[in-house]
Amino acid sequence: MREQLLHYIWQHKLFNTSELKTTLGSELQIVDFGKYNTDGGPDFWNAKIRIDDVVLAGTIELHVHASDWNLHSHQDDRKYDNVILHVVYFNDVQIQRLPTLELNGRIPMILLDRYKAMMQSHQTLICGDSINSIDDFVLENWKERLIIERLERKSEDILLNLSANGSDWEQTCYQLLGKYFGSHINKEQFEQLTRLLDYKLLMKHKAHSFQMEALLFGVAGFLNKDFVEIYPRDLKEEYLFLKHKYGLKQMSEHQWQFLRIRPVSFPTIRLAWFAQFIQQMPLLHKIIEEDFFDSMAETIAVSEYWDTHYVFDKMSKLKSKKMGHDFKAVLQINVFIPLLYAYGKYIIGKVYRKAIDLLRQIPAEQNSKTAVFEAAQLASHYASDSQAYMELFDNYCARKRCLHCAIGHKILSNTGSKIYANNV
């Protein structure tokens, strides 16, 4: 028995509540089970009980063993002075002047067995064998909650960065774009680049693609060598002038990863796209427009040099390098929609439904996490599905937080059994 499971059982009243008695034999009635407290102090607040003919109001504390009361030094903590009931699984010692209820023998055996199986499971999806028994209403409502949890968490990070950036939305947008332009392989490198190269400086040169590329490739460390071809040589010359003018610091080329990446996703191509994207700034007011992203992303393509190159000084077959649909979806899901949601919270102070509705218009992502649910016949059709499943995997399944999951709750609480476990 774990204390968190005991909390869960009490919170959801998943035990035999008939003919309750205290450990000293007094009749006990739970008038109000109280409100679960996730902060310090007793576990449930604002509870109300009746012992014989006496009604008590206060807090309730739960422990696996009654002796944990003394072990945790609650007898010396004034926060516990208002405890009206001590709920335990094993009453191994009687705490003086503290009414106690023992739950051993009152909890359905099937609930304990299911929870034990979940915690000991080595399956990637713990409830994989049972998840198809969950009705669509429960699942869809839970997915809606997961989407909001994910957007809330992302928007909190955005608003923290916004505060650090002096409430500058464009700087915040620029940094977030950089993070996802690098994907998971060159994420840190792109983040470092956006820290070294302020977007306000880039805005001074937004009308000139050549200068924009000189600044980005130069600070990224790709222009720190001798070149054969004219274009990179000219870029280097322009960058050295701008570097001296602005006192720029730069990265090293060796920091960037090229291995196990498709050529069209090389950091050099991503930087060429990034240069074009930055020229669309300021972006925030455009993001709020209905069809902005699709219309803008369609026009983003690399400059002419990159149509025949993947890296500097090495010719390749002529190929137009427009953004692929998958990468555009990554930016829309991870940059533009969270920004829209965060902006809604910042300006309006409430959930911005438009951001959630947009997720229902974008095709689902396909990755190792969504594949786990696909294998359990839970298909992802839209980004709203895949984002919900990714949140579920990251913050519930991987951490075995079944007691906090609507699916886990449905499986554990649907016992229909009157066979109670009585452990000694």
PDB file of all heavy atoms in Angstrom, residues 137-169:
ATOM      1  N   PHE A 137     -16.670   8.968 -24.600  1.00  0.00           N
ATOM      2  CA  PHE A 137     -16.952  10.206 -23.875  1.00  0.00           C
ATOM      3  C   PHE A 137     -15.831  10.518 -22.884  1.00  0.00           C
ATOM      4  O   PHE A 137     -15.328  11.654 -22.824  1.00  0.00           O
ATOM      5  CB  PHE A 137     -18.290  10.096 -23.137  1.00  0.00           C
ATOM      6  CG  PHE A 137     -18.650  11.318 -22.347  1.00  0.00           C
ATOM      7  CD1 PHE A 137     -19.185  12.431 -22.977  1.00  0.00           C
ATOM      8  CD2 PHE A 137     -18.441  11.358 -20.968  1.00  0.00           C
ATOM      9  CE1 PHE A 137     -19.510  13.576 -22.246  1.00  0.00           C
ATOM     10  CE2 PHE A 137     -18.766  12.488 -20.234  1.00  0.00           C
ATOM     11  CZ  PHE A 137     -19.297  13.607 -20.876  1.00  0.00           C
ATOM     12  N   VAL A 138     -15.413   9.526 -22.106  1.00  0.00           N
ATOM     13  CA  VAL A 138     -14.332   9.714 -21.132  1.00  0.00           C
ATOM     14  C   VAL A 138     -13.028  10.058 -21.849  1.00  0.00           C
ATOM     15  O   VAL A 138     -12.311  10.986 -21.460  1.00  0.00           O
ATOM     16  CB  VAL A 138     -14.149   8.445 -20.270  1.00  0.00           C
ATOM     17  CG1 VAL A 138     -12.894   8.553 -19.399  1.00  0.00           C
ATOM     18  CG2 VAL A 138     -15.370   8.219 -19.393  1.00  0.00           C
ATOM     19  N   LEU A 139     -12.736   9.315 -22.912  1.00  0.00           N
ATOM     20  CA  LEU A 139     -11.474   9.502 -23.623  1.00  0.00           C
ATOM     21  C   LEU A 139     -11.400  10.883 -24.270  1.00  0.00           C
ATOM     22  O   LEU A 139     -10.369  11.573 -24.160  1.00  0.00           O
ATOM     23  CB  LEU A 139     -11.319   8.408 -24.684  1.00  0.00           C
ATOM     24  CG  LEU A 139      -9.980   8.358 -25.427  1.00  0.00           C
ATOM     25  CD1 LEU A 139      -8.830   8.143 -24.449  1.00  0.00           C
ATOM     26  CD2 LEU A 139      -9.992   7.255 -26.472  1.00  0.00           C
ATOM     27  N   GLU A 140     -12.454  11.313 -24.948  1.00  0.00           N
ATOM     28  CA  GLU A 140     -12.433  12.598 -25.633  1.00  0.00           C
ATOM     29  C   GLU A 140     -12.352  13.762 -24.648  1.00  0.00           C
ATOM     30  O   GLU A 140     -11.654  14.751 -24.906  1.00  0.00           O
ATOM     31  CB  GLU A 140     -13.660  12.744 -26.530  1.00  0.00           C
ATOM     32  CG  GLU A 140     -13.662  11.810 -27.735  1.00  0.00           C
ATOM     33  CD  GLU A 140     -12.398  11.946 -28.581  1.00  0.00           C
ATOM     34  OE1 GLU A 140     -11.982  13.101 -28.856  1.00  0.00           O
ATOM     35  OE2 GLU A 140     -11.817  10.902 -28.960  1.00  0.00           O
ATOM     36  N   ASN A 141     -13.049  13.654 -23.520  1.00  0.00           N
ATOM     37  CA  ASN A 141     -12.960  14.705 -22.499  1.00  0.00           C
ATOM     38  C   ASN A 141     -11.570  14.772 -21.891  1.00  0.00           C
ATOM     39  O   ASN A 141     -11.058  15.859 -21.591  1.00  0.00           O
ATOM     40  CB  ASN A 141     -14.012  14.475 -21.405  1.00  0.00           C
ATOM     41  CG  ASN A 141     -15.368  15.044 -21.767  1.00  0.00           C
ATOM     42  OD1 ASN A 141     -15.565  16.250 -21.791  1.00  0.00           O
ATOM     43  ND2 ASN A 141     -16.301  14.180 -22.094  1.00  0.00           N
ATOM     44  N   TRP A 142     -10.968  13.617 -21.708  1.00  0.00           N
ATOM     45  CA  TRP A 142      -9.609  13.575 -21.147  1.00  0.00           C
ATOM     46  C   TRP A 142      -8.601  14.149 -22.142  1.00  0.00           C
ATOM     47  O   TRP A 142      -7.700  14.897 -21.763  1.00  0.00           O
ATOM     48  CB  TRP A 142      -9.264  12.141 -20.772  1.00  0.00           C
ATOM     49  CG  TRP A 142      -7.909  11.924 -20.157  1.00  0.00           C
ATOM     50  CD1 TRP A 142      -7.030  10.928 -20.471  1.00  0.00           C
ATOM     51  CD2 TRP A 142      -7.273  12.667 -19.108  1.00  0.00           C
ATOM     52  NE1 TRP A 142      -5.904  11.011 -19.696  1.00  0.00           N
ATOM     53  CE2 TRP A 142      -6.031  12.074 -18.845  1.00  0.00           C
ATOM     54  CE3 TRP A 142      -7.657  13.780 -18.370  1.00  0.00           C
ATOM     55  CZ2 TRP A 142      -5.149  12.556 -17.881  1.00  0.00           C
ATOM     56  CZ3 TRP A 142      -6.768  14.272 -17.403  1.00  0.00           C
ATOM     57  CH2 TRP A 142      -5.535  13.664 -17.171  1.00  0.00           C
ATOM     58  N   LYS A 143      -8.764  13.849 -23.412  1.00  0.00           N
ATOM     59  CA  LYS A 143      -7.876  14.398 -24.441  1.00  0.00           C
ATOM     60  C   LYS A 143      -7.986  15.921 -24.499  1.00  0.00           C
ATOM     61  O   LYS A 143      -6.976  16.620 -24.659  1.00  0.00           O
ATOM     62  CB  LYS A 143      -8.192  13.777 -25.809  1.00  0.00           C
ATOM     63  CG  LYS A 143      -7.657  12.358 -25.957  1.00  0.00           C
ATOM     64  CD  LYS A 143      -8.312  11.625 -27.109  1.00  0.00           C
ATOM     65  CE  LYS A 143      -8.020  12.235 -28.438  1.00  0.00           C
ATOM     66  NZ  LYS A 143      -8.609  11.450 -29.550  1.00  0.00           N
ATOM     67  N   GLU A 144      -9.203  16.430 -24.357  1.00  0.00           N
ATOM     68  CA  GLU A 144      -9.395  17.888 -24.330  1.00  0.00           C
ATOM     69  C   GLU A 144      -8.629  18.512 -23.170  1.00  0.00           C
ATOM     70  O   GLU A 144      -7.965  19.539 -23.317  1.00  0.00           O
ATOM     71  CB  GLU A 144     -10.890  18.195 -24.196  1.00  0.00           C
ATOM     72  CG  GLU A 144     -11.239  19.661 -24.026  1.00  0.00           C
ATOM     73  CD  GLU A 144     -11.357  20.408 -25.333  1.00  0.00           C
ATOM     74  OE1 GLU A 144     -11.251  19.776 -26.409  1.00  0.00           O
ATOM     75  OE2 GLU A 144     -11.549  21.632 -25.296  1.00  0.00           O
ATOM     76  N   ARG A 145      -8.688  17.853 -22.007  1.00  0.00           N
ATOM     77  CA  ARG A 145      -7.977  18.350 -20.840  1.00  0.00           C
ATOM     78  C   ARG A 145      -6.466  18.282 -21.054  1.00  0.00           C
ATOM     79  O   ARG A 145      -5.726  19.198 -20.669  1.00  0.00           O
ATOM     80  CB  ARG A 145      -8.383  17.519 -19.610  1.00  0.00           C
ATOM     81  CG  ARG A 145      -7.717  17.919 -18.314  1.00  0.00           C
ATOM     82  CD  ARG A 145      -8.083  19.333 -17.904  1.00  0.00           C
ATOM     83  NE  ARG A 145      -6.900  20.040 -17.404  1.00  0.00           N
ATOM     84  CZ  ARG A 145      -6.858  21.331 -17.170  1.00  0.00           C
ATOM     85  NH1 ARG A 145      -7.911  22.092 -17.411  1.00  0.00           N
ATOM     86  NH2 ARG A 145      -5.778  21.894 -16.708  1.00  0.00           N
ATOM     87  N   LEU A 146      -5.998  17.209 -21.686  1.00  0.00           N
ATOM     88  CA  LEU A 146      -4.567  17.047 -21.944  1.00  0.00           C
ATOM     89  C   LEU A 146      -4.039  18.118 -22.893  1.00  0.00           C
ATOM     90  O   LEU A 146      -2.922  18.620 -22.719  1.00  0.00           O
ATOM     91  CB  LEU A 146      -4.300  15.655 -22.530  1.00  0.00           C
ATOM     92  CG  LEU A 146      -4.466  14.476 -21.568  1.00  0.00           C
ATOM     93  CD1 LEU A 146      -4.513  13.164 -22.344  1.00  0.00           C
ATOM     94  CD2 LEU A 146      -3.335  14.448 -20.538  1.00  0.00           C
ATOM     95  N   ILE A 147      -4.834  18.465 -23.909  1.00  0.00           N
ATOM     96  CA  ILE A 147      -4.432  19.524 -24.843  1.00  0.00           C
ATOM     97  C   ILE A 147      -4.254  20.834 -24.086  1.00  0.00           C
ATOM     98  O   ILE A 147      -3.258  21.545 -24.276  1.00  0.00           O
ATOM     99  CB  ILE A 147      -5.489  19.690 -25.952  1.00  0.00           C
ATOM    100  CG1 ILE A 147      -5.520  18.459 -26.855  1.00  0.00           C
ATOM    101  CG2 ILE A 147      -5.202  20.939 -26.793  1.00  0.00           C
ATOM    102  CD1 ILE A 147      -6.730  18.409 -27.774  1.00  0.00           C
ATOM    103  N   ILE A 148      -5.207  21.137 -23.208  1.00  0.00           N
ATOM    104  CA  ILE A 148      -5.122  22.384 -22.439  1.00  0.00           C
ATOM    105  C   ILE A 148      -3.921  22.348 -21.499  1.00  0.00           C
ATOM    106  O   ILE A 148      -3.190  23.336 -21.370  1.00  0.00           O
ATOM    107  CB  ILE A 148      -6.432  22.625 -21.662  1.00  0.00           C
ATOM    108  CG1 ILE A 148      -7.575  22.906 -22.642  1.00  0.00           C
ATOM    109  CG2 ILE A 148      -6.276  23.786 -20.681  1.00  0.00           C
ATOM    110  CD1 ILE A 148      -8.939  23.006 -22.002  1.00  0.00           C
ATOM    111  N   GLU A 149      -3.685  21.210 -20.859  1.00  0.00           N
ATOM    112  CA  GLU A 149      -2.505  21.079 -19.985  1.00  0.00           C
ATOM    113  C   GLU A 149      -1.227  21.352 -20.762  1.00  0.00           C
ATOM    114  O   GLU A 149      -0.325  22.046 -20.277  1.00  0.00           O
ATOM    115  CB  GLU A 149      -2.447  19.671 -19.382  1.00  0.00           C
ATOM    116  CG  GLU A 149      -3.374  19.452 -18.206  1.00  0.00           C
ATOM    117  CD  GLU A 149      -3.132  18.115 -17.526  1.00  0.00           C
ATOM    118  OE1 GLU A 149      -2.046  17.524 -17.714  1.00  0.00           O
ATOM    119  OE2 GLU A 149      -4.034  17.651 -16.803  1.00  0.00           O
ATOM    120  N   ARG A 150      -1.141  20.801 -21.969  1.00  0.00           N
ATOM    121  CA  ARG A 150       0.066  20.962 -22.780  1.00  0.00           C
ATOM    122  C   ARG A 150       0.243  22.426 -23.197  1.00  0.00           C
ATOM    123  O   ARG A 150       1.345  22.983 -23.113  1.00  0.00           O
ATOM    124  CB  ARG A 150      -0.006  20.061 -24.011  1.00  0.00           C
ATOM    125  CG  ARG A 150       1.321  19.913 -24.767  1.00  0.00           C
ATOM    126  CD  ARG A 150       1.236  18.764 -25.757  1.00  0.00           C
ATOM    127  NE  ARG A 150       2.492  18.504 -26.437  1.00  0.00           N
ATOM    128  CZ  ARG A 150       3.470  17.762 -25.952  1.00  0.00           C
ATOM    129  NH1 ARG A 150       3.352  17.207 -24.747  1.00  0.00           N
ATOM    130  NH2 ARG A 150       4.592  17.560 -26.637  1.00  0.00           N
ATOM    131  N   LEU A 151      -0.835  23.054 -23.639  1.00  0.00           N
ATOM    132  CA  LEU A 151      -0.756  24.453 -24.048  1.00  0.00           C
ATOM    133  C   LEU A 151      -0.505  25.368 -22.852  1.00  0.00           C
ATOM    134  O   LEU A 151       0.209  26.372 -22.975  1.00  0.00           O
ATOM    135  CB  LEU A 151      -2.041  24.859 -24.769  1.00  0.00           C
ATOM    136  CG  LEU A 151      -2.194  24.325 -26.196  1.00  0.00           C
ATOM    137  CD1 LEU A 151      -3.582  24.618 -26.728  1.00  0.00           C
ATOM    138  CD2 LEU A 151      -1.135  24.927 -27.119  1.00  0.00           C
ATOM    139  N   GLU A 152      -1.077  25.027 -21.698  1.00  0.00           N
ATOM    140  CA  GLU A 152      -0.821  25.816 -20.494  1.00  0.00           C
ATOM    141  C   GLU A 152       0.657  25.785 -20.132  1.00  0.00           C
ATOM    142  O   GLU A 152       1.255  26.810 -19.799  1.00  0.00           O
ATOM    143  CB  GLU A 152      -1.663  25.279 -19.325  1.00  0.00           C
ATOM    144  CG  GLU A 152      -3.130  25.663 -19.363  1.00  0.00           C
ATOM    145  CD  GLU A 152      -3.364  27.103 -18.977  1.00  0.00           C
ATOM    146  OE1 GLU A 152      -2.530  27.674 -18.241  1.00  0.00           O
ATOM    147  OE2 GLU A 152      -4.377  27.675 -19.417  1.00  0.00           O
ATOM    148  N   ARG A 153       1.224  24.588 -20.183  1.00  0.00           N
ATOM    149  CA  ARG A 153       2.647  24.444 -19.824  1.00  0.00           C
ATOM    150  C   ARG A 153       3.538  25.203 -20.807  1.00  0.00           C
ATOM    151  O   ARG A 153       4.478  25.897 -20.402  1.00  0.00           O
ATOM    152  CB  ARG A 153       3.009  22.962 -19.791  1.00  0.00           C
ATOM    153  CG  ARG A 153       4.434  22.659 -19.362  1.00  0.00           C
ATOM    154  CD  ARG A 153       4.577  21.204 -18.948  1.00  0.00           C
ATOM    155  NE  ARG A 153       3.932  20.305 -19.869  1.00  0.00           N
ATOM    156  CZ  ARG A 153       4.426  19.952 -21.059  1.00  0.00           C
ATOM    157  NH1 ARG A 153       5.580  20.475 -21.452  1.00  0.00           N
ATOM    158  NH2 ARG A 153       3.789  19.097 -21.831  1.00  0.00           N
ATOM    159  N   LYS A 154       3.228  25.085 -22.089  1.00  0.00           N
ATOM    160  CA  LYS A 154       4.032  25.784 -23.093  1.00  0.00           C
ATOM    161  C   LYS A 154       3.856  27.294 -22.975  1.00  0.00           C
ATOM    162  O   LYS A 154       4.829  28.054 -23.131  1.00  0.00           O
ATOM    163  CB  LYS A 154       3.643  25.323 -24.496  1.00  0.00           C
ATOM    164  CG  LYS A 154       4.117  23.910 -24.832  1.00  0.00           C
ATOM    165  CD  LYS A 154       3.829  23.554 -26.278  1.00  0.00           C
ATOM    166  CE  LYS A 154       4.416  22.197 -26.626  1.00  0.00           C
ATOM    167  NZ  LYS A 154       4.257  21.856 -28.055  1.00  0.00           N
ATOM    168  N   SER A 155       2.636  27.737 -22.713  1.00  0.00           N
ATOM    169  CA  SER A 155       2.393  29.179 -22.606  1.00  0.00           C
ATOM    170  C   SER A 155       3.068  29.758 -21.365  1.00  0.00           C
ATOM    171  O   SER A 155       3.522  30.904 -21.377  1.00  0.00           O
ATOM    172  CB  SER A 155       0.897  29.485 -22.602  1.00  0.00           C
ATOM    173  OG  SER A 155       0.275  29.046 -21.417  1.00  0.00           O
ATOM    174  N   GLU A 156       3.150  28.971 -20.291  1.00  0.00           N
ATOM    175  CA  GLU A 156       3.865  29.436 -19.095  1.00  0.00           C
ATOM    176  C   GLU A 156       5.328  29.712 -19.417  1.00  0.00           C
ATOM    177  O   GLU A 156       5.893  30.716 -18.976  1.00  0.00           O
ATOM    178  CB  GLU A 156       3.751  28.397 -17.977  1.00  0.00           C
ATOM    179  CG  GLU A 156       2.397  28.395 -17.265  1.00  0.00           C
ATOM    180  CD  GLU A 156       2.315  27.316 -16.203  1.00  0.00           C
ATOM    181  OE1 GLU A 156       3.372  26.740 -15.855  1.00  0.00           O
ATOM    182  OE2 GLU A 156       1.195  27.042 -15.731  1.00  0.00           O
ATOM    183  N   ASP A 157       5.953  28.808 -20.188  1.00  0.00           N
ATOM    184  CA  ASP A 157       7.353  29.024 -20.601  1.00  0.00           C
ATOM    185  C   ASP A 157       7.469  30.271 -21.467  1.00  0.00           C
ATOM    186  O   ASP A 157       8.418  31.058 -21.326  1.00  0.00           O
ATOM    187  CB  ASP A 157       7.865  27.803 -21.367  1.00  0.00           C
ATOM    188  CG  ASP A 157       8.044  26.582 -20.483  1.00  0.00           C
ATOM    189  OD1 ASP A 157       8.139  26.755 -19.252  1.00  0.00           O
ATOM    190  OD2 ASP A 157       8.076  25.459 -21.018  1.00  0.00           O
ATOM    191  N   ILE A 158       6.510  30.452 -22.377  1.00  0.00           N
ATOM    192  CA  ILE A 158       6.533  31.619 -23.264  1.00  0.00           C
ATOM    193  C   ILE A 158       6.403  32.902 -22.454  1.00  0.00           C
ATOM    194  O   ILE A 158       7.141  33.874 -22.673  1.00  0.00           O
ATOM    195  CB  ILE A 158       5.406  31.513 -24.317  1.00  0.00           C
ATOM    196  CG1 ILE A 158       5.741  30.405 -25.326  1.00  0.00           C
ATOM    197  CG2 ILE A 158       5.208  32.846 -25.045  1.00  0.00           C
ATOM    198  CD1 ILE A 158       4.597  30.052 -26.254  1.00  0.00           C
ATOM    199  N   LEU A 159       5.483  32.917 -21.486  1.00  0.00           N
ATOM    200  CA  LEU A 159       5.261  34.121 -20.693  1.00  0.00           C
ATOM    201  C   LEU A 159       6.439  34.415 -19.764  1.00  0.00           C
ATOM    202  O   LEU A 159       6.732  35.582 -19.468  1.00  0.00           O
ATOM    203  CB  LEU A 159       3.958  34.002 -19.896  1.00  0.00           C
ATOM    204  CG  LEU A 159       2.685  33.969 -20.757  1.00  0.00           C
ATOM    205  CD1 LEU A 159       1.451  33.730 -19.896  1.00  0.00           C
ATOM    206  CD2 LEU A 159       2.529  35.247 -21.559  1.00  0.00           C
ATOM    207  N   LEU A 160       7.137  33.366 -19.317  1.00  0.00           N
ATOM    208  CA  LEU A 160       8.369  33.579 -18.541  1.00  0.00           C
ATOM    209  C   LEU A 160       9.440  34.226 -19.414  1.00  0.00           C
ATOM    210  O   LEU A 160      10.127  35.166 -18.983  1.00  0.00           O
ATOM    211  CB  LEU A 160       8.880  32.245 -17.984  1.00  0.00           C
ATOM    212  CG  LEU A 160       8.201  31.709 -16.718  1.00  0.00           C
ATOM    213  CD1 LEU A 160       8.715  30.305 -16.396  1.00  0.00           C
ATOM    214  CD2 LEU A 160       8.470  32.637 -15.533  1.00  0.00           C
ATOM    215  N   ASN A 161       9.589  33.725 -20.643  1.00  0.00           N
ATOM    216  CA  ASN A 161      10.553  34.318 -21.582  1.00  0.00           C
ATOM    217  C   ASN A 161      10.142  35.744 -21.939  1.00  0.00           C
ATOM    218  O   ASN A 161      11.002  36.621 -22.093  1.00  0.00           O
ATOM    219  CB  ASN A 161      10.655  33.467 -22.850  1.00  0.00           C
ATOM    220  CG  ASN A 161      11.382  32.162 -22.611  1.00  0.00           C
ATOM    221  OD1 ASN A 161      12.148  32.036 -21.659  1.00  0.00           O
ATOM    222  ND2 ASN A 161      11.150  31.183 -23.460  1.00  0.00           N
ATOM    223  N   LEU A 162       8.833  35.957 -22.079  1.00  0.00           N
ATOM    224  CA  LEU A 162       8.339  37.297 -22.388  1.00  0.00           C
ATOM    225  C   LEU A 162       8.741  38.277 -21.292  1.00  0.00           C
ATOM    226  O   LEU A 162       9.176  39.397 -21.571  1.00  0.00           O
ATOM    227  CB  LEU A 162       6.815  37.252 -22.533  1.00  0.00           C
ATOM    228  CG  LEU A 162       6.129  38.577 -22.864  1.00  0.00           C
ATOM    229  CD1 LEU A 162       6.460  39.026 -24.276  1.00  0.00           C
ATOM    230  CD2 LEU A 162       4.610  38.456 -22.683  1.00  0.00           C
ATOM    231  N   SER A 163       8.601  37.847 -20.044  1.00  0.00           N
ATOM    232  CA  SER A 163       8.990  38.696 -18.914  1.00  0.00           C
ATOM    233  C   SER A 163      10.489  38.981 -18.940  1.00  0.00           C
ATOM    234  O   SER A 163      10.917  40.120 -18.721  1.00  0.00           O
ATOM    235  CB  SER A 163       8.597  38.018 -17.600  1.00  0.00           C
ATOM    236  OG  SER A 163       8.998  38.787 -16.492  1.00  0.00           O
ATOM    237  N   ALA A 164      11.275  37.938 -19.227  1.00  0.00           N
ATOM    238  CA  ALA A 164      12.729  38.112 -19.301  1.00  0.00           C
ATOM    239  C   ALA A 164      13.128  39.021 -20.458  1.00  0.00           C
ATOM    240  O   ALA A 164      14.172  39.688 -20.406  1.00  0.00           O
ATOM    241  CB  ALA A 164      13.407  36.749 -19.452  1.00  0.00           C
ATOM    242  N   ASN A 165      12.275  39.074 -21.493  1.00  0.00           N
ATOM    243  CA  ASN A 165      12.553  39.905 -22.663  1.00  0.00           C
ATOM    244  C   ASN A 165      11.915  41.291 -22.565  1.00  0.00           C
ATOM    245  O   ASN A 165      11.772  41.982 -23.582  1.00  0.00           O
ATOM    246  CB  ASN A 165      12.040  39.210 -23.936  1.00  0.00           C
ATOM    247  CG  ASN A 165      12.854  37.975 -24.289  1.00  0.00           C
ATOM    248  OD1 ASN A 165      14.041  37.904 -23.988  1.00  0.00           O
ATOM    249  ND2 ASN A 165      12.217  37.003 -24.915  1.00  0.00           N
ATOM    250  N   GLY A 166      11.507  41.672 -21.363  1.00  0.00           N
ATOM    251  CA  GLY A 166      10.926  42.998 -21.182  1.00  0.00           C
ATOM    252  C   GLY A 166       9.614  43.187 -21.911  1.00  0.00           C
ATOM    253  O   GLY A 166       9.336  44.265 -22.460  1.00  0.00           O
ATOM    254  N   SER A 167       8.786  42.104 -21.938  1.00  0.00           N
ATOM    255  CA  SER A 167       7.462  42.113 -22.589  1.00  0.00           C
ATOM    256  C   SER A 167       7.560  42.337 -24.103  1.00  0.00           C
ATOM    257  O   SER A 167       6.612  42.825 -24.725  1.00  0.00           O
ATOM    258  CB  SER A 167       6.541  43.177 -21.962  1.00  0.00           C
ATOM    259  OG  SER A 167       6.325  42.883 -20.594  1.00  0.00           O
ATOM    260  N   ASP A 168       8.683  41.967 -24.684  1.00  0.00           N
ATOM    261  CA  ASP A 168       8.877  42.084 -26.137  1.00  0.00           C
ATOM    262  C   ASP A 168       8.419  40.785 -26.806  1.00  0.00           C
ATOM    263  O   ASP A 168       9.120  39.776 -26.788  1.00  0.00           O
ATOM    264  CB  ASP A 168      10.352  42.350 -26.449  1.00  0.00           C
ATOM    265  CG  ASP A 168      10.592  42.702 -27.906  1.00  0.00           C
ATOM    266  OD1 ASP A 168       9.836  42.213 -28.767  1.00  0.00           O
ATOM    267  OD2 ASP A 168      11.538  43.456 -28.186  1.00  0.00           O
ATOM    268  N   TRP A 169       7.228  40.815 -27.405  1.00  0.00           N
ATOM    269  CA  TRP A 169       6.667  39.613 -28.027  1.00  0.00           C
ATOM    270  C   TRP A 169       7.485  39.158 -29.231  1.00  0.00           C
ATOM    271  O   TRP A 169       7.623  37.959 -29.482  1.00  0.00           O
ATOM    272  CB  TRP A 169       5.215  39.884 -28.463  1.00  0.00           C
ATOM    273  CG  TRP A 169       4.241  39.749 -27.350  1.00  0.00           C
ATOM    274  CD1 TRP A 169       3.697  40.753 -26.607  1.00  0.00           C
ATOM    275  CD2 TRP A 169       3.694  38.533 -26.827  1.00  0.00           C
ATOM    276  NE1 TRP A 169       2.841  40.245 -25.651  1.00  0.00           N
ATOM    277  CE2 TRP A 169       2.814  38.886 -25.768  1.00  0.00           C
ATOM    278  CE3 TRP A 169       3.844  37.186 -27.149  1.00  0.00           C
ATOM    279  CZ2 TRP A 169       2.102  37.931 -25.045  1.00  0.00           C
ATOM    280  CZ3 TRP A 169       3.132  36.238 -26.425  1.00  0.00           C
ATOM    281  CH2 TRP A 169       2.284  36.614 -25.388  1.00  0.00           C
TER     282      TRP A 169
END
